[in-house]
Amino acid sequence: MQKEVKEKPNYAIVAAVQIPSVTDIEFEASLNELRELAKTLGFTVVKTFVQKRAGFDVTAYLGAGKRQEIRDYVNNEYEITEVDEVVANLGDVEINTLLVDHEISPSQARNLELEVGCVVMDRTMVILEIFHRNARSRAARAQVEIARLGYMAPRMREAAKLAGSQGRQRSGEGGRGAGESQTELDRRKIRDRIAELQLEIVAMDAERKTQRARRQERQGIAGIALVGYTNAGKSTLMRALTGSEVLVANKLFATLDTTVRSLYPDSVPRILVSDTVGFIKNLPHGLVASFKSTLDEALDASLLLHVIDASDPGFVRQLEVTNEVLEEIGADVVPRLRIFNKIDYVGDAAAQAECEAALRAKYPDCIVMSAKRPDDVAKLHQTIVAFFQQDLVEAELFLPWSAQQWRGKIYASCQVLEERSDNDGAFLMVRGEAEAINRLREQVQGSSLD
């Protein structure tokens, strides 16, 4: 009889240096975010070490005294005087990872790892690992792999140093050349793999552009894209607006792949809603570049719904991060509607009313709502439809009895306001895009002449 094997828990500690230019509020918000990222990866954070310095230590990020303190903690060489963040007695707990709230150099990571005695992951590596685990589509997996390989390439030498002499040198067996460095071989493999993935992405981009062009050729279809900080509630709002069963999870980066669904109930013009990957402070530039094809949905949209977590005290910083990324990909010129979501998480009715009043005073054109309230979602639906109907025109279409096959297309492309008929055919008063109405008129006239 086989015994059930329990997965070993992953315990981690967090360390960060606060430099003078970073305020206490910004620093604490960044630490909280790193702890949430760690939770997404399956870590249990048991303690946080903080150090205030004029700058980062060039050799190992943290100062010598703080490194020794962490080493003692990892090795349980300390006296327990207070309850830690998760457990009071760490005697039976093995801490295997140190998470650093900055991107550090390969040599800093190696030196820090040697001194504290456990694996070191910086903020960028944590984000990359989350993306690696959560990517589902072929395009997203390829983009994430490129970013991870680009991150690992300059760190190969330091990894070889940690492995010792056996990890640095290999013999000439296998036709690789006598005395060739294992690091050089690995770097060559990384370069070749990145080149291969880039070719795949170019092919997938061409395929996506073709699909997008076909969508745009359809009559009366408009597009909106949900953008915003990770865990702001975009997927919940996507589900509420479209009635679709998209993934909803209370964790960072639950959604990486773009999802496209139709706005429900249907409207004229028909509106497609896209959910994009969330943004985060210090998002690795490799990931921003890699996910530009995914974020193309934002560039092609006629309207951006910028979703912001109203219940997060640091939402201003998150709003700025989203603005920066949108500007970097060239989507800052697309019309945008600010949506402050999760107002129901703020507190009681009085607290919600006070928060809503403050938000509307600072952002006059914003929408304050909860994606879990049907009435709020209905109001947002009306606002979205009104945006796309503001440039619609009204016109009359004549549909001969011999061309009734066009009736379904007219109803699908336009809003039929009134219909009357005589012996020759039907007269329909419609509202829609001028170009679509003219195209329908030409098609109906052409078919009646055949």
Side-chain angles (χ1 to χ4, degrees):
M1 183 176 179
Q2 292 183 341
K3 293 183 179 179
E4 184 180 349
V5 179
K6 292 186 178 180
E7 189 173 334
K8 188 177 180 180
N10 291 319
Y11 293 102
I13 53 178
V14 168
V17 171
Q18 182 180 6
I19 55 179
S21 60
V22 178
T23 66
D24 291 342
I25 295 176
E26 290 175 329
F27 184 68
E28 189 56 38
S30 185
L31 280 176
N32 287 334
E33 197 169 79
L34 181 61
R35 285 190 280 260
E36 287 298 315
L37 290 168
K39 187 190 301 182
T40 302
L41 270 185
F43 285 108
T44 298
V45 176
V46 296
K47 193 171 181 65
T48 299
F49 291 88
V50 173
Q51 184 176 37
K52 293 188 177 183
R53 288 174 56 95
F56 306 137
D57 185 272
V58 293
T59 58
Y61 176 67
L62 295 161
K66 187 61 65 175
R67 298 198 300 267
Q68 182 61 47
E69 183 182 346
I70 294 175
R71 181 183 181 87
D72 292 343
Y73 192 86
V74 170
N75 295 328
N76 296 319
E77 297 174 357
Y78 64 98
E79 181 181 355
I80 301 171
T81 57
E82 59 182 12
V83 177
D84 288 309
E85 292 170 24
V86 177
V87 286
N89 190 339
L90 294 180
D92 297 326
V93 171
E94 181 183 347
I95 300 170
N96 45 36
T97 308
L98 168 63
L99 307 177
V100 176
D101 195 28
H102 288 93
E103 181 172 346
I104 58 178
S105 69
S107 61
Q108 285 176 319
R110 178 179 66 89
N111 293 333
L112 188 56
E113 192 165 314
L114 287 172
E115 286 205 45
V116 302
C118 63
V119 175
V120 173
M121 294 178 68
D122 64 9
R123 186 184 181 91
T124 299
M125 188 174 183
V126 170
I127 295 173
L128 287 171
E129 185 61 27
I130 293 173
F131 271 59
H132 173 65
R133 294 187 186 183
N134 289 3
R136 293 292 178 265
S137 70
R138 188 163 60 101
R141 286 197 299 267
Q143 290 160 347
V144 171
E145 188 176 351
I146 286 179
R148 290 181 82 227
L149 291 173
Y151 174 84
M152 291 304 300
R155 288 162 171 78
M156 298 301 299
R157 184 183 300 276
E158 302 303 328
K161 289 179 181 178
L162 282 174
S165 59
Q166 291 183 348
R168 291 196 296 267
Q169 194 78 16
R170 63 180 283 128
S171 66
E173 296 176 0
R176 292 294 183 180
E180 184 176 27
S181 162
Q182 180 67 42
T183 302
E184 293 170 354
L185 175 61
D186 291 339
R187 282 182 173 173
R188 186 185 307 143
K189 288 180 178 179
I190 287 176
R191 287 195 299 269
D192 293 344
R193 179 58 179 160
I194 289 176
E196 179 184 340
L197 289 167
Q198 286 172 336
L199 290 176
E200 289 182 15
I201 288 177
V202 168
M204 286 186 280
D205 283 346
E207 183 179 340
R208 263 195 301 273
K209 288 177 181 176
T210 301
Q211 293 173 347
R212 192 175 295 118
R214 289 173 181 168
R215 286 204 306 264
Q216 292 172 347
E217 286 174 2
R218 298 174 189 169
Q219 298 176 12
I221 293 184
I224 62 178
L226 301 175
V227 298
Y229 213 74
T230 181
N231 208 32
K234 296 188 301 301
S235 295
T236 302
L237 186 58
M238 174 80 169
R239 174 181 283 191
L241 287 173
T242 64
S244 60
E245 292 298 316
V246 298
L247 174 65
V248 176
N250 184 26
K251 63 180 183 179
L252 304 187
F253 296 118
T255 303
L256 291 184
D257 301 296
T258 300
T259 306
V260 182
R261 298 287 187 272
S262 295
L263 184 70
Y264 180 83
D266 292 335
S267 63
V268 175
R270 185 183 173 212
I271 300 171
L272 295 181
V273 186
S274 304
D275 186 13
T276 62
V277 64
F279 306 141
I280 195 169
K281 175 176 173 273
N282 297 330
L283 183 68
H285 288 290
L287 281 179
V288 174
S290 295
F291 272 85
K292 277 188 178 178
S293 56
T294 305
L295 294 171
D296 276 348
E297 296 292 343
L299 285 170
D300 291 334
S302 303
L303 175 67
L304 297 182
L305 302 186
H306 182 174
V307 185
I308 306 151
D309 183 355
S311 67
D312 194 316
F315 77 82
V316 174
R317 177 181 61 90
Q318 298 175 0
L319 190 152
E320 292 171 352
V321 169
T322 302
N323 289 341
E324 289 170 4
V325 177
L326 289 174
E327 184 177 355
E328 188 169 346
I329 66 172
D332 54 320
V333 296
V334 181
R336 196 181 318 177
L337 181 61
R338 286 194 183 96
I339 299 175
F340 286 92
N341 190 27
K342 297 187 179 182
I343 189 64
D344 50 329
Y345 283 74
V346 169
D348 58 18
Q352 292 180 35
E354 182 180 353
C355 179
E356 182 173 351
L359 289 172
R360 292 190 185 281
K362 188 172 183 179
Y363 308 97
D365 298 326
C366 73
I367 291 180
V368 183
M369 63 171 292
S370 167
K372 295 182 179 180
R373 295 176 182 170
D375 290 345
D376 289 357
V377 175
K379 290 178 183 177
L380 176 59
H381 184 283
Q382 292 173 2
T383 303
I384 293 170
V385 173
F387 173 85
F388 286 100
Q389 289 186 345
Q390 60 186 346
D391 295 326
L392 300 186
V393 298
E394 293 184 10
E396 186 176 73
L397 287 176
F398 172 64
L399 188 62
W401 296 124
S402 60
Q404 290 299 306
Q405 68 271 21
W406 291 102
R407 177 177 291 273
K409 193 166 187 179
I410 291 174
Y411 270 83
S413 304
C414 304
Q415 181 182 5
V416 179
L417 304 174
E418 183 183 344
E419 181 177 351
R420 59 184 176 84
S421 60
D422 60 16
N423 293 332
D424 296 323
F427 295 86
L428 292 87
M429 181 61 67
V430 299
R431 179 188 291 126
E433 294 178 339
E435 184 180 345
I437 292 174
N438 291 333
R439 187 164 51 244
L440 281 168
R441 182 177 283 116
E442 292 172 0
Q443 291 170 338
V444 170
Q445 290 175 350
S447 64
S448 63
L449 294 175
D450 293 340

